[in-house]
Amino acid sequence: MMEVTRVDDEASAAVVTGEASFPPGFVKPDPADPSATREQYDMDVVIDVPVKGVAKAGTYTLKFEVRYQGCKKSLCWMPQTDVVEATLRVGASEK
C-alpha cells in the first residue's frame, strides 16, 4: 500500500499539483492472504507529481503526506505516515 497526498502548506495558493504517479511495482502474494496479491516495491521509489500551475516565479516548499506499509515474507508492519518536503524552483518565463 502506498498513497501520496498534498498537504496544505504556504505554497498551496501559489502551486497547483496533479495526481501522484507511481512506477509499476512487483505483484506478489499477500503475506496475510496468499490467495490475494499486492503490489510491492523492493527498494526506493521515485513518485512523479506533476506541477499544473504556478502563480509566479520563485522557490516553493511543497509538502506531501506519504502513507505506506512495509512487508517482509509473512509479516506486514502497521501502516506508516510520513511528511516529505520537496523544493520547487520556478524561473521567470522568457518572452
Side-chain angles (χ1 to χ4, degrees), residues 25-92:
F26 299 101
V27 177
K28 297 182 179 181
D30 187 328
D33 179 5
S35 67
T37 59
R38 67 170 52 195
E39 189 173 33
Q40 297 179 353
Y41 300 95
D42 289 339
M43 300 298 288
D44 294 341
V45 177
V46 175
I47 301 166
D48 292 322
V49 178
V51 175
K52 294 189 163 194
V54 180
K56 63 180 183 176
T59 300
Y60 301 94
T61 300
L62 309 180
K63 294 181 183 178
F64 299 92
E65 188 174 82
V66 180
R67 288 180 297 282
Y68 60 94
Q69 182 176 22
C71 294
K72 179 180 178 183
K73 294 190 181 182
S74 63
L75 171 71
C76 287
W77 291 274
M78 294 297 295
Q80 301 291 311
T81 301
D82 291 327
V83 174
V84 178
E85 292 186 357
T87 301
L88 173 67
R89 291 181 183 87
V90 178

Side-chain angles (χ1 to χ4, degrees), residues 2-32:
M2 187 177 295
E3 298 174 352
V4 174
T5 306
R6 176 90 182 270
V7 176
D8 284 335
D9 51 39
E10 63 274 359
S12 292
V15 180
V16 177
T17 55
E19 189 173 324
S21 172
F22 298 87
F26 299 101
V27 177
K28 297 182 179 181
D30 187 328

